[in-house]
Amino acid sequence: MARQWGMVIDLDRCTGCEACVVACHAENNIATVGEDQAARGRAMHWIRVERYWEGNFPNARVIYRPVLCQQCGDAPCEAVCPTYASYHNPEGLNAQIYNRCIGTRYCGNACPYNVRFFNFYNPVWDKPLNLQLNPDVSVRSVGIMEKCTFCIQRIKVAEFRAQAEKRPLKDEEFNPACVQSCPPKAMVFGDLDDPASEVSRLAQSNRATRLLEEVGTLPNVIYLRSVS
Amino acid sequence: MERRDFLKISAVSGATAALDACGKPERQLIRFIPETDLIPGIAVWRPSVCTMCPAGCGTTVRVMEGDAEVTRKGQLGLIKMGLAKKIEGNPDHPVNHGKLCPRGQAALQVTYHPDRIRHPLKRSGARGSGKFQEISWEDGIHELVTRLAALSSGQKTAALAIVAKPMRGQRRVLLESLAHALGAPPPVFFQFFEEAVLRQANALSFGRAQLPTLDLAQSNYVLSFGADFLGTWNSPVAQNVGYGEMRQGRPNLRGKLIQVEARMSETGANADQWIPARPGTEGLVAMALARVILTENLRPASAAGGAGELIPGWAEGLKDYAPEKVEQSTGVPAATIAHIARDLAANSPAVVIMGGAPLAQTNGLFNALAVNALNALLGNVEQPGGIYFTPAPPGMAPAQGLPIQPASAYAALTALLGLSTPTTLAPASPPQVLLLDEANPVYALPDPRVKDAIEKIPFVVSFGGFLDETSIFADLILPDHSPLESWIDDVPESGVTQAVVSLAPPTMKPLHHTRATPDVLLEVAHQLGGRVSKALPWKNYEEMLQAAWGPLQKEKGSVQASSADEFWSKIRKQGGWWSSEVAPAAQGRPASAGGPPVSYKEAQFSGNAKDFPFLFMPYESQQFLDGSLAHLPWLQEMPEVLSSVMWGSWVEINPQTADRLGIQQGDLIEVSSTRGTLKASALVFPGIAPDVIGMPAGQGHQQFTRYATGRGANPFKILDPVFEPATGSLGWAATRVKISRVGKGKLALFGGSLRESPREFGKR
Amino acid sequence: MAAHSPEQLNQDVLRPLVRTSWRFYLTGGILGSIVLAALAAFIYQVYAGIGVSGLDRPVFWGFYITNFVFWIGISHAGTLISAILRLTDARWRRPVTRCAEAITVFALVIGGMFPIIHLGRPYLFFWLFPYPSERGIWPNFHSPLLWDAFAISTYLTGSSIFLYLPTIPDFALVRDKAKGWRRKFYGFLSLGWTGTPRQWHRLEMAMRIMAVVILPVAVSVHTIVSWDFAMAPVPMWHSTVFGPYFVAGAIFSGIAALIIAMAILRKAFHLEEYLTPFHFDKLGKLLLLMSLVWGYFIVAERLTVWYGNESPEMAVYWSTQQGRFTHLFWFMVFCNLVIPFIILSIKQFRNSITGPVIASTTVVIGMWIERFLIIVPPLERKYLPYSWGTYRPTWVEITITAGTFAAMALLYMIFSKLVPMISVWEMKLGWRQEAESPQLVTSEARLTGAVPSADLPAPEN
């Protein structure tokens, strides 16, 4: 039953369109913070498309790299949390239990990927924008840390449905919001422990690499290097 | 995670929602009778059509029961209703294959926008003061009917003008029929980034006044001139899907992408090779490529057919366009040209595309024709891995021949408003009544006459759901439903190789006291009676849609049904109809509309190079397109991918230029053309030519909801009136500017360093 | 310098307990209002959200944690130094220990508040402690923050005992001399001390044990504080040198704080005869030593990083050597190394009281900057350059920081009004010991003015 959820991101397919970014905001009730707060480094994007320039005009080049919580197998954020708010669940996800969090922000410091986001204020949705909120996802209050969950609410719904229908969960039966929206299909999600799944097949690619492997976090997000 | 933990999380989300209501007045609100029979907590998915850009993607909307605070019959209260919660791509839809771009995702916020107009309004203050008073729908419609009736009784119906955003399908037919029945000039479908030049060129070269469909998935080599086809141009989701397949969808075969442009776009950033040709010389580059292919006998000149005949000197092997000769003007080394030409010929199927800035030059038509000829020469037209033209669905005239509407919406709009135009189009007499459907020409056009002309029109009616720079002048506002609350149909112009009708019913009940504009217009037609009600006899829009698209039941397509009712209910569930016949690969040479050859003329720029040393290059924004989406907070806070800017606008400057002028990232820069001046923060941008200044469109709204008003600067306002002569399109990439530092600006950047290894590149 | 009698000593040391000048009230009022402002700022922060601070992503820790580390460092003034001096039986320690130990307790109290002040949800701070609760979970013992909670509470308990034990005989002395409420108050504090040999014996035993026990606790506390950083995989935090580096820095800043406190006490309470240039000379030498040790550590830390040339660490390294923090970095070196070295290595400067006080002031400033430079630059430049950020403190953080300095001074002032700031019985004991065995009368004793007078004071009075 235990699965190892993982994701493969093909950097050769990624076009930097940012569909994943807005899809994630919509799915996970991520608040927008406004210009002033955004300028102070408090914008919350559970997934971001990193952009790195290489070279100079006229030989300038760009690398896009979507970065979300890497759902580390050995996550630095989990060890340092004094209240078990950051916790490793049996399916290999780094879960964030919002109501345990007291806001030491230690996990945010320990995370080498900077994918943890802190609620510096209570989130605000100008009415009736509050009606867009997804009822399956908790709204986070001021003073707590939040981050990508691999859309655990979707995982759970799919698992419950499979359970109710007394059948195994199928590969690609569901996807996190970012994967589902991704127009060039750069992202693939699934069970890395299932040898038949597309994600585990792609993870075998000779282009496969992991982000900041040297830190020893054993990420479950695998990047396929861009060719060229 | 244990089940228990999950339940805890769910409980907290519920509790948070409940607590939110504590101590707030809505607890005392009355409850209306529920407008939904949805099971609490269970989501249903309903099809819809994305209207954020003209691509026409099919969507599927997650609807769940929820409590909405609404006004019903003047009484504020709470109601249980089905609420749209998330928009995804419709997996069955042949344009976007279940995928969706960020703008499509953000469409949810149009419905729930706090500044939506919630009921009909009548102007109560001075024009443009933004003072309105609430009126009833009956009064609103009555007023409109009275005005229109007065026009027709006074035999002055030519004085009616209809300006709408680009639309296809029955809503367009409805507006056209209304104008026709009232004897008014045809409606103008206006947006800033129009594709008149490309449509004109495709009509001349291939006989199709239509944007091309790119079969990227099967392509081995893509050469793009300025077309941001992965970002905003044409049908971006369809093109992204194809691009992914082109790169990694085929075992051991990876298609290449070469991008030619002076300012690196989101697409250019993905290219294997990025070639900054001088703006306005893209046609020369294409011709030099063709020249190499011809001289090296890689393809016969005759392969290009009619598309080649439009280029002077084609049959003679394009002697004037030797790579060495054009190198001086294009800035592209002859060796590079030769290399790419051979690659193009060797890596069939290859596709050549042009879009964006190269078309917005005085020689835009030549540039487009040159690319078309090159495509035809390579044998890419209507071939797998090349370009196609989406067939029109049965019952709809295909876009064959030259465009029906005067080529450029800019020219048509100015003519409609009674202004002189850049073309031979004669100005009409100034209109007495203007119907506005979401178009915003006052924001988009640099021409100040447009605002004055609209201000002078005695009666302006706006149907859009938001107050913007144009609708602020309205005397009457009859707000439309949001797209999620409406019947929508669309006929994608491109992005798909089969005939498609996207069609979907409302996904949710209207939140506010709005009415669907097509229903309102049909009601108006009914009340006007006579010729008008005969032309538009339907009681409501669904009836009209059924009348138009019901006959598709007989065609071979995605919906099999034995009765009209069954067909209609299936189409409602599927979100449209698409033909099962894919456009066939063309046999022989592509047909050309023919016409006199168009010769190359050097691109003209406004402003002399001495006083205005930089070329100003606005571009369609990844966040807001032409600015019509700047009111959505998700898009405002989405970091634009290359700059990582949120909530603002910026000007892009080459690092060396910035160093030379002593400009640093975040400095406030004044950009001046002969027409005007704007101020925006500087962004050091390695992917732009040293003599080019880039700037995204979309911000600088004076009036467009709380999220966009007064934010950033509008690049359109400093564009000089330079035109592509054949179509009268605005040459928006042909304005020269000067820049100077005026102080400290502000930039909300999401990204830290420009470089992955900053030390390697010195301090920058 | 005239030798002084036990009566004189009693008078000099106990005078502040009964007599209070207007200057005291004025200073107390100023400090109190700064503390109140800080309190208001904190309440505002709790009310509005921690967003009113300058913290952001990725710099999740800023001024607050800087203050935390700084004050925990200052706390090493007292207990650690006093324990070392007691164990080595350095006789000149006698007038020094009390004011040193008091610094420890107050600095710990102030420093210990910061992990709570900086919480996103400070009202839930008690979740850091293990207690049986309806939530059904223990805190995570893997987290260095939890180690902190234990280390600091242990150290605070130990230091309080360490401060309190040798004060008991003095409380009894005050009780015996006082009337009214003071008699009751000090009677309560003196725990029925009558000065029996058994009581003396027990006190001595307890002090000896405490001095031994508190040393490893003190060392471990700052080591654990350093591990808050060293345990996280953050470039230039993740370093083995941090434990001893922090302890050395703590003792360094602690001595500086002690010198400043002594100078102020000396001036305010006219204790010139007891806190003499000799003490400042001794402590000044110690400060110079620690300055050099600190310099050694910073060289060891920086040189290995630079030579190792790993790119994530170098990004942080360059931001302090050639970037945003360069000026601050060299100012810190100036404060912690250059100034103390010039002043304290020259005898004339060291022997004056002004010299060590100036050096100590720059060291306190420099060490605060050092804590800041340890915490903030690595967070600003953590791995993926796209997510780099900057940190700028807001008025809320600055007010609260100023408030801690005011609170420290205020607590110390109030303490000095309630407790004799020089251990009276230890002074007297010292005099007696020296009289009993004149061979032990060292130059040190002469210089401190502790030359025994004719009549030997009984230790209890």
Side-chain angles (χ1 to χ4, degrees):
Chain A
M1 177 68 191
R3 298 181 185 85
Q4 180 59 61
W5 296 115
M7 189 182 284
V8 168
I9 302 178
D10 190 337
L11 299 180
D12 206 25
R13 281 180 183 251
C14 175
T15 62
C17 76
E18 304 244 335
C20 49
V21 175
V22 180
C24 183
H25 267 261
E27 174 71 18
N28 290 303
N29 300 340
I30 303 173
T32 47
V33 298
E35 183 179 15
D36 293 340
Q37 291 297 306
R40 292 175 63 179
R42 289 163 176 186
M44 297 203 262
H45 300 295
W46 288 6
I47 183 168
R48 61 174 180 261
V49 182
E50 297 196 340
R51 168 275 297 128
Y52 293 113
W53 289 96
E54 287 185 350
N56 282 309
F57 184 88
N59 296 316
R61 290 177 49 87
V62 166
I63 293 171
Y64 292 137
R65 186 202 289 140
V67 177
L68 68 167
C69 173
Q70 307 285 304
Q71 306 288 351
C72 303
D74 196 350
C77 58
E78 288 166 1
V80 300
C81 176
T83 56
Y84 282 118
S86 177
Y87 139 95
H88 209 70
N89 90 354
E91 295 189 343
L93 298 181
N94 306 128
Q96 177 74 6
I97 317 286
Y98 301 129
N99 43 4
R100 286 182 188 168
C101 179
I102 60 173
T104 65
R105 305 183 293 284
Y106 200 172
C107 54
N109 289 340
C111 174
Y113 307 98
N114 280 339
V115 289
R116 294 183 149 263
F117 297 88
F118 188 70
N119 286 276
F120 286 95
Y121 290 108
N122 257 326
V124 178
W125 285 275
D126 296 330
K127 276 184 183 173
L129 277 177
N130 57 320
L131 297 183
Q132 82 199 1
L133 295 178
N134 181 355
D136 295 348
V137 177
S138 331
V139 171
R140 284 77 61 184
S141 70
V142 62
I144 66 176
M145 201 52 106
E146 61 181 65
K147 67 163 199 56
C148 161
T149 63
F150 263 2
C151 285
I152 193 164
Q153 67 281 7
R154 293 188 177 203
I155 298 179
K156 290 293 155 190
V157 166
E159 282 178 349
F160 289 155
R161 194 185 299 128
Q163 238 170 43
E165 293 169 10
K166 297 199 169 55
R167 58 172 175 80
L169 194 59
K170 287 183 292 240
D171 187 33
E172 298 202 13
E173 181 173 331
F174 71 97
N175 272 318
C178 51
V179 178
Q180 184 167 356
S181 73
C182 182
K185 302 196 181 94
M187 308 170 103
V188 176
F189 176 83
D191 182 3
L192 283 170
D193 280 354
D194 173 7
S197 70
E198 196 190 353
V199 74
S200 69
R201 190 179 58 75
L202 286 170
Q204 306 299 315
S205 160
N206 55 7
R207 295 192 288 130
T209 164
R210 287 164 212 246
L211 198 53
L212 299 179
E213 219 157 352
E214 66 277 15
V215 187
T217 51
L218 309 178
N220 282 309
V221 175
I222 293 144
Y223 289 87
L224 304 186
R225 269 193 303 270
S226 186
V227 189
S228 83
Chain B
M1 178 184 271
E2 297 283 315
R3 210 179 110 92
R4 190 165 38 90
D5 295 323
F6 174 68
L7 291 176
K8 267 190 207 161
I9 290 182
S10 316
V12 169
S13 69
T16 322
L19 281 174
D20 192 43
C22 283
K24 291 185 182 168
E26 59 264 41
R27 271 185 87 78
Q28 286 106 51
L29 289 182
I30 60 157
R31 278 195 172 270
F32 298 117
I33 298 161
E35 276 182 1
T36 174
D37 49 1
L38 294 175
I39 305 161
I42 303 291
V44 296
W45 293 88
R46 292 177 180 158
S48 189
V49 182
C50 187
T51 59
M52 304 291 273
C53 86
C57 296
T59 59
T60 164
V61 183
R62 185 173 192 244
V63 181
M64 290 182 89
E65 184 227 49
D67 272 339
E69 189 183 319
V70 293
T71 310
R72 292 284 184 267
K73 293 183 180 132
Q75 165 83 52
L76 190 70
L78 277 179
I79 195 161
K80 270 204 192 315
M81 63 186 290
L83 295 169
K85 293 292 185 185
K86 179 83 168 61
I87 304 177
E88 305 281 4
N90 180 349
D92 300 327
H93 201 281
V95 171
N96 55 318
H97 304 277
K99 300 302 183 180
L100 206 56
C101 74
R103 299 166 294 274
Q105 295 275 355
L108 199 60
Q109 294 197 315
V110 173
T111 300
Y112 300 125
H113 202 289
D115 294 338
R116 248 181 90 186
I117 302 170
R118 303 180 183 205
H119 35 65
L121 295 173
K122 192 179 156 78
R123 182 163 64 85
S124 60
R127 266 259 162 104
S129 65
K131 288 206 179 85
F132 293 94
Q133 68 185 45
E134 188 178 344
I135 54 166
S136 74
W137 270 104
E138 288 63 40
D139 292 351
I141 291 176
H142 177 75
E143 170 128 31
L144 176 57
V145 169
T146 317
R147 291 283 183 159
L148 290 177
L151 283 188
S152 37
S153 64
Q155 299 303 310
K156 288 205 304 183
T157 39
L160 169 68
I162 301 178
V163 179
K165 73 170 184 178
M167 49 180 74
R168 296 172 301 249
Q170 292 306 302
R171 186 154 174 170
R172 180 185 185 118
V173 172
L174 174 53
L175 290 176
E176 281 170 347
S177 309
L178 185 73
H180 184 73
L182 285 165
V188 171
F189 297 95
F190 173 82
Q191 75 173 12
F192 182 84
F193 291 102
E194 56 171 331
E195 300 287 359
V197 175
L198 191 54
R199 287 201 189 93
Q200 181 85 7
N202 287 348
L204 290 171
S205 300
F206 308 126
R208 300 293 291 268
Q210 196 176 347
L211 296 182
T213 297
L214 316 175
D215 185 15
L216 294 171
Q218 301 193 61
S219 199
N220 291 344
Y221 202 90
V222 180
L223 172 63
S224 156
F225 290 90
D228 185 15
F229 65 91
L230 299 173
T232 53
W233 180 75
N234 200 353
S235 191
V237 179
Q239 284 146 197
N240 266 288
V241 172
Y243 173 84
E245 293 305 298
M246 176 193 99
R247 288 299 206 184
Q248 289 295 335
R250 300 163 294 183
N252 305 319
L253 182 57
R254 177 179 182 273
K256 269 192 129 180
L257 168 62
I258 314 292
Q259 184 90 1
V260 183
E261 60 193 0
R263 180 253 161 202
M264 189 181 275
S265 62
E266 179 199 327
T267 307
N270 287 294
D272 300 284
Q273 195 177 351
W274 179 72
I275 302 168
R278 264 190 210 112
T281 66
E282 292 86 353
L284 288 184
V285 176
M287 285 299 89
L289 290 165
R291 155 91 184 167
V292 174
I293 290 170
L294 291 174
T295 49
E296 299 190 2
N297 286 321
L298 300 170
R299 294 281 192 286
S302 59
E309 285 157 23
L310 291 163
I311 307 292
W314 183 268
E316 291 75 42
L318 298 169
K319 283 200 232 43
D320 298 344
Y321 301 107
E324 296 75 20
K325 257 189 199 166
V326 301
E327 182 177 334
Q328 195 63 33
S329 26
T330 62
V332 183
T336 308
I337 300 258
H339 187 81
I340 292 174
R342 287 170 205 139
D343 269 4
L344 268 174
N347 289 292
S348 220
V351 60
V352 189
I353 322 164
M354 180 174 277
L359 303 171
Q361 304 288 358
T362 54
N363 58 2
L365 186 63
F366 174 83
N367 292 337
L369 292 173
V371 163
N372 283 349
L374 182 59
N375 251 333
L377 176 69
L378 288 163
N380 295 333
V381 182
E382 310 210 315
Q383 298 293 337
I387 62 165
Y388 282 90
F389 293 101
T390 305
M396 218 181 151
Q400 261 159 9
L402 284 170
I404 304 157
Q405 189 174 301
S408 127
Y410 183 102
L413 180 73
T414 40
L416 188 69
L417 295 174
L419 305 169
S420 63
T421 74
T423 58
T424 51
L425 212 60
S429 58
Q432 299 299 305
V433 174
L434 171 66
L435 304 188
L436 265 177
D437 192 4
E438 291 196 26
N440 189 2
V442 173
Y443 167 79
L445 290 180
D447 191 341
R449 295 179 308 160
V450 170
K451 182 181 160 192
D452 297 342
I454 289 175
E455 252 189 303
K456 281 197 198 106
I457 298 173
F459 191 65
V460 177
V461 185
S462 167
F463 296 100
F466 296 95
L467 271 186
D468 58 30
E469 289 86 344
T470 309
S471 63
I472 191 93
F473 295 118
D475 299 279
L476 183 64
I477 296 178
L478 301 174
D480 194 0
H481 285 338
S482 85
L484 294 177
E485 299 162 342
S486 320
W487 270 97
I488 318 171
D489 75 325
D490 199 0
V491 182
E493 180 183 4
S494 58
V496 58
T497 51
Q498 72 224 70
V500 173
V501 177
S502 304
L503 180 63
T507 59
M508 59 182 279
K509 294 257 163 54
L511 205 56
H512 304 306
H513 199 45
T514 53
R515 272 193 203 179
T517 298
D519 287 344
V520 171
L521 292 177
L522 287 172
E523 171 69 23
V524 166
H526 176 73
Q527 291 193 17
L528 281 170
R531 220 154 37 108
V532 187
S533 75
K534 214 171 277 167
L536 295 165
W538 302 282
K539 273 209 286 297
N540 58 39
Y541 192 44
E542 183 183 358
E543 234 176 55
M544 182 180 174
L545 290 172
Q546 205 164 359
W549 302 123
L552 290 174
Q553 188 197 342
K554 295 190 272 308
E555 307 290 336
K556 246 177 89 184
S558 58
V559 179
Q560 305 292 325
S562 48
S563 72
D565 285 350
E566 190 195 348
F567 176 78
W568 198 244
S569 83
K570 276 190 172 169
I571 224 173
R572 288 178 61 144
K573 281 203 191 81
Q574 197 177 70
W577 175 93
W578 25 97
S579 168
S580 42
E581 280 171 28
V582 173
Q587 306 293 316
R589 294 177 196 163
S592 156
V598 177
S599 54
Y600 172 76
K601 286 194 192 76
E602 217 174 285
Q604 301 298 306
F605 303 102
S606 83
N608 65 67
K610 204 168 134 273
D611 296 335
F612 299 94
F614 299 99
L615 182 63
F616 187 58
M617 182 92 58
Y619 60 92
E620 200 163 8
S621 150
Q622 182 187 41
Q623 298 158 299
F624 319 118
L625 300 178
D626 58 352
S628 53
L629 308 183
H631 58 323
L632 305 182
W634 277 341
L635 295 178
Q636 284 280 2
E637 193 148 311
M638 176 183 98
E640 194 272 341
V641 73
L642 282 169
S643 63
S644 89
V645 174
M646 300 169 281
W647 295 96
S649 57
W650 64 95
V651 286
E652 292 164 359
I653 301 173
N654 180 288
Q656 285 145 1
T657 308
D659 280 349
R660 183 165 58 80
L661 299 176
I663 291 169
Q664 291 193 332
Q665 177 108 310
D667 283 353
L668 193 66
I669 302 299
E670 192 174 76
V671 184
S672 314
S673 70
T674 55
R675 158 82 51 142
T677 293
L678 63 79
K679 286 190 187 122
S681 301
L683 184 92
V684 174
F685 195 85
I688 193 163
D691 55 352
V692 176
I693 299 293
M695 185 171 178
Q699 299 278 30
H701 280 279
Q702 288 168 331
Q703 172 68 49
F704 196 34
T705 79
R706 67 187 72 178
Y707 302 114
T709 304
R711 188 178 293 292
N714 180 0
F716 300 157
K717 290 297 172 200
I718 65 165
L719 294 177
D720 284 319
V722 182
F723 298 94
E724 193 288 312
T727 57
S729 298
L730 184 68
W732 49 259
T735 297
R736 293 189 151 281
V737 293
K738 59 183 176 188
I739 60 170
S740 58
R741 185 186 180 281
V742 289
K744 200 91 196 100
K746 60 172 180 177
L747 276 180
L749 294 175
F750 190 64
S753 165
L754 282 177
R755 311 276 187 181
E756 186 146 32
S757 319
R759 289 291 299 179
E760 287 168 30
F761 297 89
K763 276 190 179 166
R764 200 175 300 284
Chain C
M1 210 177 289
H4 33 252
S5 63
E7 284 73 34
Q8 183 66 35
L9 176 70
N10 285 352
Q11 261 192 23
D12 286 347
V13 175
L14 302 188
R15 191 189 312 115
L17 269 50
V18 284
R19 224 171 287 155
T20 304
S21 78
W22 63 270
R23 286 189 206 85
F24 180 91
Y25 290 113
L26 181 69
T27 319
I30 293 169
L31 293 174
S33 38
I34 298 174
V35 173
L36 280 179
L39 189 69
F42 175 62
I43 291 169
Y44 170 63
Q45 175 179 303
V46 174
Y47 179 77
I50 191 143
V52 299
S53 71
L55 297 167
D56 58 35
R57 188 194 71 98
V59 189
F60 286 121
W61 289 356
F63 263 35
Y64 295 146
I65 299 297
T66 303
N67 286 331
F68 166 66
V69 182
F70 172 77
W71 284 113
I72 301 293
I74 293 292
S75 79
H76 283 57
T79 311
L80 189 69
I81 295 162
S82 137
I84 294 170
L85 295 180
R86 279 179 198 279
L87 284 177
T88 54
D89 203 19
R91 298 183 170 210
W92 58 270
R93 72 163 197 272
R94 290 197 177 96
V96 175
T97 51
R98 175 80 37 85
C99 39
E101 286 155 12
I103 292 179
T104 297
V105 174
F106 299 130
L108 269 180
V109 168
I110 288 168
M113 286 193 308
F114 275 98
I116 296 168
I117 290 174
H118 101 124
L119 286 183
R121 303 203 286 178
Y123 28 87
L124 297 176
F125 74 94
F126 53 91
W127 287 4
L128 283 168
F129 297 100
Y131 65 99
S133 79
E134 80 293 347
R135 295 164 60 243
I137 52 167
W138 288 91
N140 180 5
F141 288 96
H142 299 194
S143 170
L145 289 187
L146 208 68
W147 312 343
D148 262 351
F150 281 94
I152 290 169
S153 46
T154 308
Y155 190 41
L156 183 58
T157 315
S159 307
S160 304
I161 296 170
F162 197 61
L163 170 67
Y164 185 60
L165 284 179
T167 320
I168 294 173
D170 285 356
F171 282 145
L173 170 71
V174 184
R175 173 198 63 198
D176 295 346
K177 290 193 176 292
K179 293 185 197 74
W181 68 268
R182 282 201 177 83
R183 198 177 175 84
K184 266 190 185 160
F185 178 69
Y186 289 102
F188 174 73
L189 287 174
S190 58
L191 300 178
W193 177 271
T194 49
T196 64
R198 238 175 79 164
Q199 284 177 335
W200 278 116
H201 180 67
R202 281 187 181 164
L203 179 65
E204 245 165 64
M205 281 302 290
M207 283 309 292
R208 225 170 277 161
I209 293 168
M210 281 309 295
V212 174
V213 168
I214 206 79
L215 264 177
V217 173
V219 170
S220 74
V221 164
H222 224 66
T223 307
I224 286 170
V225 167
S226 83
W227 287 348
D228 284 350
F229 308 100
M231 293 291 168
V234 174
M236 287 203 74
W237 276 13
H238 193 51
S239 158
T240 50
V241 83
F242 263 31
Y245 177 29
F246 271 52
V247 174
I251 299 171
F252 184 33
S253 61
I255 296 167
L258 178 58
I259 291 174
I260 295 171
M262 277 168 50
I264 294 170
L265 283 177
R266 182 174 187 269
K267 193 95 182 150
F269 296 151
H270 305 290
L271 300 175
E272 286 88 351
E273 286 177 38
Y274 310 97
L275 300 170
T276 65
F278 176 82
H279 294 107
F280 289 90
D281 175 77
K282 283 278 180 198
L283 287 170
K285 278 181 184 157
L286 211 49
L287 191 66
L288 177 61
L289 172 72
M290 291 317 296
S291 166
L292 295 174
V293 170
W294 179 87
Y296 160 76
F297 273 115
I298 199 145
V299 171
E301 184 212 18
R302 305 250 137 197
L303 185 67
T304 49
V305 165
W306 174 76
Y307 197 88
N309 199 29
E310 279 187 47
S311 60
E313 296 205 316
M314 287 313 279
V316 180
Y317 179 84
W318 286 121
S319 91
T320 52
Q321 305 306 128
Q322 272 184 27
R324 204 162 113 71
F325 295 107
T326 313
H327 298 302
L328 208 54
F329 179 84
W330 290 111
F331 182 62
M332 168 187 81
V333 171
F334 181 73
C335 287
N336 283 354
L337 222 47
V338 179
I339 292 276
F341 190 80
I342 292 172
I343 292 181
L344 300 174
S345 59
I346 297 169
K347 201 170 174 165
Q348 286 90 320
F349 290 159
R350 188 174 66 235
N351 260 339
S352 77
I353 289 173
T354 329
V357 168
I358 290 172
S360 297
T361 312
T362 64
V363 167
V364 167
I365 294 167
M367 281 309 290
W368 195 93
I369 295 170
E370 189 240 29
R371 284 14 181 145
F372 180 80
L373 288 178
I374 283 173
I375 293 163
V376 171
L379 293 178
E380 286 192 354
R381 298 273 176 278
K382 199 172 78 184
Y383 296 110
L384 307 175
Y386 186 82
S387 60
W388 287 359
T390 47
Y391 167 74
R392 267 182 205 90
T394 60
W395 66 268
V396 175
E397 287 159 297
I398 293 167
T399 310
I400 290 179
T401 303
T404 62
F405 285 89
M408 181 71 200
L410 192 62
L411 283 172
Y412 208 70
M413 274 173 67
I414 295 169
F415 185 77
S416 71
K417 283 284 142 192
L418 297 174
V419 179
M421 288 309 282
I422 287 176
S423 186
V424 179
W425 69 269
E426 283 185 272
M427 290 292 288
K428 291 175 182 169
L429 183 68
W431 288 338
R432 193 165 75 170
Q433 278 170 352
E434 277 146 10
E436 277 170 355
S437 32
Q439 69 274 22
L440 289 178
V441 179
T442 55
S443 59
E444 169 195 324
R446 279 192 292 275
L447 276 166
T448 52
V451 175
S453 56
D455 57 333
L456 299 178
E460 60 272 33
N461 196 357

